[in-house]
Amino acid sequence: MSAVDREKGSYDEKASLEQTEQGGNGVEVTEAPLPATSWAGTAEEKRLVRKLDMRIMPLTCILYLFAYLDRTNLGNARLQGLPQDTLGGDSTGVLFDWVNSAFFFSYILCQVPASVTSKLFPPRIWLGCAAVGWGLASTLMSTGFNFPGMIVARVFLGIFEAGFGPGIPLYLSFWYTKHEMGTRMAYWFGFAAVAGAFGGLIAFGVQHAQTAISNWRLLFIIEGIPTVLLGFITMWLLPNRPEETSFLNEDERRIQLERRSRGLKADVGRVVNKKHIYAAFMDWRIYLAGVIYFGANCALASISAFLPTIIKTFGVTNARAQLLTVPPYAVSAVVLTLTAYVSDRLQSRGIPMSCAACVGGIGYLLLLTVPDDNHVRYFAVFCITSGTYTVIGVTIAWTAHNLGSETKKATGIPMYMAIGQCGSVLGSHIYPSVEGPRYMLCRFVCPRVCGRHLRYRLNNLI
């Protein structure tokens, strides 16, 4: 008998009294089998959490780093000549906006089916294949020569990333409790901010490269190929589900299964419960989270794609604009991590999220009301990135452990994310070039003018 068994008693796999309770939407759900012993707060559990952090968090965070690099590198490529080489100059920026938003259309449509389907496959295979797919799509963007080619590449990028974005919060909920989830989600989503800083440094270096191909094509290659390699590494190193993986020994598996059962409804494993899918569609909390996510994503998508362009209005060169995007993203990663840590300790998400939203709003007010002081405007960019990233990171942690069964999570998480990503489509259109440098009025509010201009541009390009 192991030391863990002698100290705490063996795991009683037959202690599976099923307790039926009425779900919040009138759907009967069944409690998962309860282990005979609680390991909460023990030294064994702390050792297990450290082991999980050492293997799972580095892989998932680096995956998200490259996912976000590949999603948002259009903003850097814009200053390196992409519109001039592929979009016929695109002096108004409308075609660039549609290339940017094409990603979100496929991303939104594929999120729910991809997340539910992911329950039927080993996580390491599903997530690894998704990384290989979006890495190839990003790399092949370097071969684009016209508007349709860029659109196709961005659509496939969205399809493959749809299998990853909602899948990670679901996957992490297999391993971490609600008291641990906020900080881990902050680490994970914080790498979106790290990607912004890292992407700015890469773009700054590429801007000075002397090669036979355009700088923006080299940028896509540099950021796309490592993602493909990382996908294969994920298939090898990422642990599968707790009950399946060889990453845990039997003592650790007992502890992890008990951790997962805390407050978790049944429907564990490679099964899909249709009743729980219905329960997700009827849960008003998911739609409320979608509304919050919509507003935050509108700001996030716009600031991610257009931050180099906004900073360029300060009167700096293209290369310096790329470099000046690094500090705001670095600060936002720190603010997000600290806020998530506090919210975990207090077990309160709403108040920290509201405070972060206010900080972001102050940033936009400063950009709007202080047109002549570039120092204040640059400070405003820090407020916007810090507030926006924090709101989204805390929102993901808030919902990841509040939906009950695995099937409901697999349905509900991509549901609110899909609703929220509609804000990303809007955010892709709120900084047209013709409105610079102040960007006081968005042409998106006048779809007839925007649509007529788009049709004109397409007739001259296709």
Side-chain angles (χ1 to χ4, degrees):
M1 182 179 290
S2 69
V4 175
D5 281 341
R6 286 197 302 270
E7 183 176 347
K8 301 300 293 185
S10 63
Y11 176 81
D12 186 359
E13 295 183 0
K14 294 183 180 180
S16 58
L17 291 175
E18 294 186 339
Q19 303 171 354
T20 303
E21 70 173 358
Q22 197 73 7
N25 302 289
V27 178
E28 277 195 351
V29 291
T30 307
E31 293 287 352
L34 296 177
T37 305
S38 174
W39 302 88
T42 63
E44 290 83 1
E45 182 185 33
K46 293 177 181 178
R47 281 197 297 270
L48 174 61
V49 173
R50 286 195 295 270
K51 182 176 180 178
L52 299 177
D53 286 342
M54 292 296 292
R55 173 66 70 88
I56 293 174
M57 293 311 301
L59 275 173
T60 55
C61 288
I62 294 173
L63 276 171
Y64 198 56
L65 169 70
F66 281 96
Y68 218 79
L69 277 176
D70 295 335
R71 182 188 308 186
T72 60
N73 51 16
L74 271 181
N76 300 113
R78 186 183 197 181
L79 297 186
Q80 295 175 344
L82 182 148
Q84 289 73 26
D85 292 347
T86 64
L87 305 178
D90 189 29
S91 59
T92 64
V94 173
L95 293 183
F96 176 85
D97 294 348
W98 283 104
V99 170
N100 187 42
S101 60
F103 164 88
F104 297 106
F105 290 120
S106 56
Y107 189 67
I108 290 167
L109 293 175
C110 295
Q111 277 187 310
V112 173
S115 184
V116 174
T117 305
S118 71
K119 276 181 57 64
L120 305 177
F121 295 89
R124 63 185 180 89
I125 301 299
W126 180 268
L127 296 173
C129 289
V132 171
W134 90 65
L136 287 173
S138 178
T139 304
L140 291 175
M141 285 186 67
S142 65
T143 66
F145 288 93
N146 53 28
F147 178 72
M150 301 303 293
I151 288 287
V152 169
R154 291 286 289 181
V155 166
F156 276 96
L157 184 69
I159 290 173
F160 285 107
E161 284 208 28
F164 171 78
I168 289 296
L170 175 64
Y171 175 73
L172 293 182
S173 72
F174 298 162
W175 297 100
Y176 294 104
T177 68
K178 64 183 297 184
H179 295 86
E180 301 162 348
M181 197 68 170
T183 304
R184 271 70 185 184
M185 289 308 306
Y187 293 155
W188 177 70
F189 190 74
F191 269 73
V194 174
F198 194 48
L201 289 173
I202 294 175
F204 179 75
V206 170
Q207 189 83 27
H208 293 86
Q210 302 296 324
T211 62
I213 61 175
S214 302
N215 287 343
W216 66 268
R217 297 186 192 276
L218 180 61
L219 180 68
F220 286 134
I221 293 172
I222 289 175
E223 295 182 355
I225 291 178
T227 306
V228 178
L229 300 177
L230 184 61
F232 289 110
I233 294 173
T234 300
M235 296 182 202
W236 177 38
L237 291 180
L238 191 70
N240 275 331
R241 304 175 64 89
E243 65 271 20
E244 298 174 347
T245 183
S246 59
F247 173 63
L248 303 178
N249 61 41
E250 289 308 310
D251 292 333
E252 292 168 338
R253 196 184 317 278
R254 292 186 182 105
I255 298 173
Q256 181 55 39
L257 291 176
E258 185 275 326
R259 283 163 45 82
R260 188 178 64 176
S261 72
R262 297 173 193 169
L264 178 68
K265 304 293 185 284
D267 168 28
V268 173
R270 297 187 196 174
V271 294
V272 175
N273 190 312
K274 294 181 180 178
K275 289 184 178 180
H276 294 182
I277 295 177
Y278 174 78
F281 278 96
M282 299 302 294
D283 193 337
W284 62 270
R285 297 174 300 172
I286 293 174
Y287 296 98
L288 179 59
V291 172
I292 297 171
Y293 209 62
F294 179 97
N297 260 304
C298 180
L300 180 67
S302 60
I303 204 69
S304 298
F306 297 101
L307 183 57
T309 303
I310 294 172
I311 292 178
K312 191 172 181 296
T313 65
F314 297 172
V316 299
T317 63
N318 285 355
R320 187 168 177 79
Q322 307 277 22
L323 194 60
L324 287 176
T325 62
V326 176
Y329 285 123
V331 170
S332 65
V334 175
V335 172
L336 168 58
T337 303
L338 291 177
T339 305
Y341 175 78
V342 171
S343 73
D344 259 359
R345 295 298 297 269
L346 298 178
Q347 280 299 288
S348 172
R349 313 288 188 199
I351 294 176
M353 187 179 68
S354 300
C355 293
C358 290
V359 171
I362 290 171
Y364 279 110
L365 285 175
L366 289 174
L367 281 181
L368 185 66
T369 57
V370 186
D372 300 321
D373 191 331
N374 286 338
H375 293 90
V376 174
R377 288 166 62 80
Y378 192 47
F379 171 75
V381 170
F382 281 81
C383 294
I384 293 170
T385 54
S386 298
T388 302
Y389 278 93
T390 301
V391 168
I392 293 182
V394 175
T395 300
I396 295 173
W398 200 359
T399 55
H401 256 296
N402 282 330
L403 296 179
S405 73
E406 282 187 13
T407 297
K408 190 175 180 184
K409 289 178 184 177
T411 308
I413 291 173
M415 272 180 61
Y416 83 78
M417 285 188 172
I419 295 170
Q421 291 298 344
C422 294
S424 299
V425 177
L426 174 61
S428 300
H429 293 268
I430 60 178
Y431 290 105
S433 299
V434 293
E435 299 294 345
R438 296 288 305 282
Y439 300 101
M440 297 284 289
L441 178 65
C442 173
R443 288 173 67 91
F444 194 86
V445 300
C446 187
R448 184 171 61 181
V449 174
C450 184
R452 185 168 63 246
H453 180 80
L454 178 62
R455 287 192 297 273
Y456 170 79
R457 299 295 297 169
L458 288 176
N459 288 337
N460 284 274
L461 284 174
I462 301 175

